[in-house]
Amino acid sequence: MRHFCFSLIIIWSVLTLKAQDAPTLPWDDTPAPKHEVRAVWLTIISGLDWPSTTNQEQQKRDLSHILDQLQQGGINTVLVQARVRATTIYPSAMEPWEGGFSGTPGVAPGYDPLQLCIDECHRRGMECHAWVVTLPIGKWNKIGAQQMRKKQPKLVKRIGEDAFMDPENPETATYLANICREITRNYDIDGIHLDYIRYPEQWKIKVSRAKGRENITRIARAIHDAVKQEKPWVKMSCSPIGKHDDLTRYRAGGWNARTAVCQDAQEWLRTGLMDQLYPMMYFQGDNFYPFAIDWQERSYGRTVVPGLGIYFLDPREGRWTLDMVERQLSVVRQLGLGHCYFRSRFFTDNVKGIYDLGKRFDAKPALVPPMTWEGRPAPTAPTAIQLKGNRLSWGGAQDRSGAPDLHYNVYASPDFPVDITKAENLMAMRLAQTDILVPSNNVNYAVTAMDRYGQEGPAVQLLLNAGPEYAAPIIARSDGRPIAMPEKGATLDADFVIIENALGQQITICPYSHMLNISNLPDGMYQLRSLGRKGRNHRIGFFTKKSK
């Protein structure tokens, strides 16, 4: 109850703040988090977001332009519709091609749109998740449903003119798991994102709600197991109905995830079937804020990213105003949640100024929250950092998580050491290479390695600007492993490093090296000082050693 009351105070302070009460917007003084999911749904069906032409080269240019806009708008996660309606945007051994790329359903476009999207997202430092529409398979006589009826007739149910996979048939779970396994095995995807993993609203549920939840959970579990067996670092997520269930004081109006459509999404977080949730919170007022608190309070240490219905900004879709979205953004950030826009085109078309707002709100970059619940060790620090001309380079780190392909994050600041906890110091992220061109301004740099679980190791630091803040203390913590020391650059005159105890008494002197061995020191707090050729010394900072 205490957490709930605190959350209500946050919401009340935001909702009651009027523009005339303060010269700044409600979120201007809220520190931007270093870790936050900022996502969009990139819709393929009917070319709603992409593609809008059948010309292949124009499709590629259009995607590049869309992703440039998203990157500049602060987006770090793209959910691209990879399975549309039992049709795919990649060469599948199980299902036909989606027709929007070639102009003809079932006909390949001459390139792999999913691979292109993954490559282009990664090149921009963004994650790319394969959005898989699960149970709806389109109109009864369209190609997806037609082929499914021929190959898997027992799995298909007709409701009016629409076809659906049967959630009550155990083979449906196996089939969908194999689709997601195919994507995970063949592509360097960052996540599998499940849509419509619930009973369709048209379905007359005849089983008990408990049995219905068991049926849907069976599908979620089968997909989770298939994906994690292939690549355990691939994030599992889904987009549940925006209200999980009725709350004590707020009713869901008959439309919720758990009771209405048997989608037990919060339980999937608790049991680890999902790493992230993107609840479709396309509501306002009491239909949004109390339910946002509910998602936050039952996130079980995992990632919740409310989906915001920015399509209602379009006069043809609804009557939302920009300040409504602004308040939702502010509240979900204060609750420690991410945000996801539905859909991409409404965002990039800047409907009612939403793109301008998003750019300002997410002006500082952010990394996707790490999957700490996997219990994997973080990578080591990079080595041998140096700057030659405008090229910053460093030696590779060692992965300790068992996943391939470390990424690197680069930080820059006039202060030394560079504070890697601050979002504003993040200059480049998810780099695959070990070098980057940087501006010629006189700042200091730090580089960290990040594994596929999103976990960062310690930074290696490069001192180029020994300003007045140079002697400011830093805190490093170690369990006995070597501590990464800042590179000396051309400024720091230091051949040795002095280790002193908390009282300032000298313990030892050792050669200045990029990694400081502290294994022989007893547990405690220590001060580091550099020692130059003429006896000059500077305080580098502090560290603590605490054995496991």
Side-chain angles (χ1 to χ4, degrees):
M1 177 60 71
R2 183 163 41 189
H3 295 295
F4 186 78
C5 291
F6 177 71
S7 299
L8 284 178
I9 291 171
I10 291 175
I11 289 178
W12 178 255
S13 66
V14 173
L15 296 183
T16 57
L17 181 61
K18 306 297 183 182
Q20 62 267 27
D21 294 335
T24 58
L25 294 171
W27 40 267
D28 278 342
D29 294 327
T30 303
K34 178 183 169 181
H35 292 97
E36 183 178 68
V37 173
R38 304 163 180 177
V40 296
W41 279 285
L42 184 64
T43 309
I44 303 302
I45 190 169
S46 302
L48 290 176
D49 294 327
W50 180 68
S52 59
T53 175
T54 57
N55 181 285
Q56 294 176 27
E57 295 308 312
Q58 187 62 48
Q59 288 173 13
K60 297 175 184 178
R61 290 191 294 269
D62 288 348
L63 178 63
S64 180
H65 178 62
I66 291 169
L67 296 181
D68 281 342
Q69 287 182 285
L70 296 179
Q71 180 189 30
Q72 293 160 14
I75 298 301
N76 59 21
T77 302
V78 175
L79 311 174
V80 59
Q81 200 169 27
R83 186 192 193 230
V84 185
R85 292 293 187 272
T87 55
T88 65
I89 71 165
Y90 65 93
S92 171
M94 299 178 64
E95 296 186 333
W97 275 95
E98 168 64 21
F101 293 93
S102 67
T104 304
V107 175
Y111 74 103
D112 188 335
L114 179 57
Q115 185 64 62
L116 176 68
C117 194
I118 293 170
D119 291 343
E120 291 299 306
C121 283
H122 288 175
R123 192 165 65 84
R124 291 167 174 79
M126 299 189 292
E127 289 197 358
C128 186
H129 295 211
W131 166 10
V132 175
V133 179
T134 55
L135 297 181
I137 56 175
K139 296 299 180 182
W140 187 255
N141 289 317
K142 294 293 184 179
I143 188 170
Q146 279 185 338
Q147 293 208 11
M148 183 73 73
R149 286 156 47 200
K150 291 179 181 178
K151 296 179 179 179
Q152 300 284 347
K154 295 180 180 180
L155 301 187
V156 183
K157 296 291 184 180
R158 181 172 184 168
I159 304 178
E161 295 301 314
D162 297 315
F164 298 89
M165 299 194 72
D166 183 359
E168 297 176 357
N169 189 325
E171 294 181 16
T172 292
T174 303
Y175 183 90
L176 290 171
N178 286 334
I179 282 284
C180 295
R181 186 194 306 275
E182 177 182 61
I183 296 172
T184 306
R185 177 177 293 172
N186 294 336
Y187 293 92
D188 186 22
I189 205 74
D190 298 294
I192 293 291
H193 176 70
L194 306 177
D195 193 10
Y196 281 98
I197 183 166
R198 56 180 172 85
Y199 273 85
E201 51 266 42
Q202 304 96 322
W203 195 286
K204 295 181 180 179
I205 305 176
K206 298 179 180 179
V207 298
S208 68
R209 286 305 190 267
K211 181 61 177 179
R213 287 191 287 272
E214 180 182 318
N215 290 334
I216 301 299
T217 297
R218 177 175 57 223
I219 299 172
R221 182 178 295 108
I223 295 174
H224 167 275
D225 292 351
V227 169
K228 296 296 185 176
Q229 285 169 7
E230 293 290 330
K231 296 171 182 175
W233 58 88
V234 170
K235 298 177 180 71
M236 282 298 310
S237 71
C238 70
S239 51
I241 301 299
K243 304 171 186 178
H244 184 254
D245 215 336
D246 288 337
L247 305 179
T248 303
R249 295 182 56 193
Y250 297 92
R251 307 286 293 178
W255 183 239
N256 60 62
R258 187 173 186 271
T259 300
V261 294
C262 301
Q263 190 177 42
D264 209 358
Q266 290 180 352
E267 180 68 4
W268 299 344
L269 275 188
R270 189 188 70 81
T271 58
L273 294 184
M274 295 291 157
D275 301 300
Q276 301 177 329
L277 292 182
Y278 293 75
M280 300 180 292
M281 302 193 68
Y282 309 151
F283 316 110
Q284 284 293 335
D286 288 347
N287 289 309
F288 182 89
Y289 298 105
F291 294 93
I293 294 174
D294 180 57
W295 288 114
Q296 184 267 339
E297 292 188 338
R298 290 166 178 79
S299 59
Y300 302 101
R302 301 188 184 230
T303 306
V304 176
V305 188
L308 307 184
I310 63 169
Y311 64 97
F312 283 124
L313 292 170
D314 189 322
R316 296 168 295 182
E317 300 285 348
R319 297 183 179 180
W320 283 19
T321 56
L322 190 62
D323 67 294
M324 293 177 176
V325 180
E326 180 182 335
R327 291 176 187 274
Q328 290 185 348
L329 285 167
S330 181
V331 167
V332 297
R333 173 164 290 174
Q334 292 187 56
L335 289 174
L337 308 176
H339 50 274
C340 184
Y341 300 118
F342 185 79
R343 307 182 328 265
S344 173
R345 181 165 289 180
F346 292 101
F347 183 62
T348 56
D349 281 356
N350 200 25
V351 176
K352 288 187 180 176
I354 181 61
Y355 184 75
D356 294 334
L357 170 62
K359 282 183 69 174
R360 184 177 173 190
F361 189 77
D362 291 329
K364 296 173 183 176
L367 298 171
V368 173
M371 300 167 68
T372 53
W373 48 88
E374 291 287 350
R376 308 284 176 140
T380 65
T383 59
I385 187 172
Q386 61 179 337
L387 180 67
K388 290 185 177 180
N390 289 93
R391 185 172 295 279
L392 182 73
S393 62
W394 55 91
Q398 293 182 354
D399 175 74
R400 302 189 301 132
S401 70
D405 305 326
L406 285 176
H407 294 132
Y408 296 94
N409 301 320
V410 179
Y411 300 81
S413 172
D415 298 326
F416 183 84
V418 179
D419 188 345
I420 65 170
T421 67
K422 293 183 176 180
E424 58 265 33
N425 291 340
L426 188 57
M427 185 181 119
M429 55 191 182
R430 286 182 56 91
L431 297 175
Q433 71 275 15
T434 56
D435 65 341
I436 185 177
L437 294 176
V438 296
S440 58
N441 51 327
N442 192 23
V443 296
N444 304 305
Y445 293 98
V447 180
T448 63
M450 184 172 69
D451 63 26
R452 294 303 298 270
Y453 297 90
Q455 298 184 123
E456 276 189 296
V460 59
Q461 302 263 358
L462 177 61
L463 174 64
L464 296 173
N465 175 27
E469 299 300 319
Y470 172 64
I474 62 173
I475 298 294
R477 296 177 177 85
S478 174
D479 59 2
R481 294 191 300 270
I483 292 177
M485 294 286 288
E487 290 288 328
K488 293 184 290 184
T491 307
L492 181 59
D493 171 25
D495 291 330
F496 298 92
V497 62
I498 304 170
I499 301 178
E500 300 175 347
N501 63 18
L503 300 177
Q505 299 167 330
Q506 181 176 308
I507 302 299
T508 186
I509 298 177
C510 52
Y512 198 107
S513 175
H514 71 276
M515 298 299 289
L516 179 65
N517 187 351
I518 63 169
S519 60
N520 293 327
L521 296 176
D523 288 359
M525 185 171 184
Y526 299 89
Q527 180 175 231
L528 290 175
R529 304 188 71 88
S530 66
L531 180 62
R533 285 183 288 274
K534 296 183 179 180
R536 297 192 184 96
N537 66 78
H538 297 277
R539 185 171 63 194
I540 298 175
F542 297 92
F543 71 90
T544 58
K545 179 188 175 186
K546 184 177 181 180
S547 302
K548 291 183 177 179

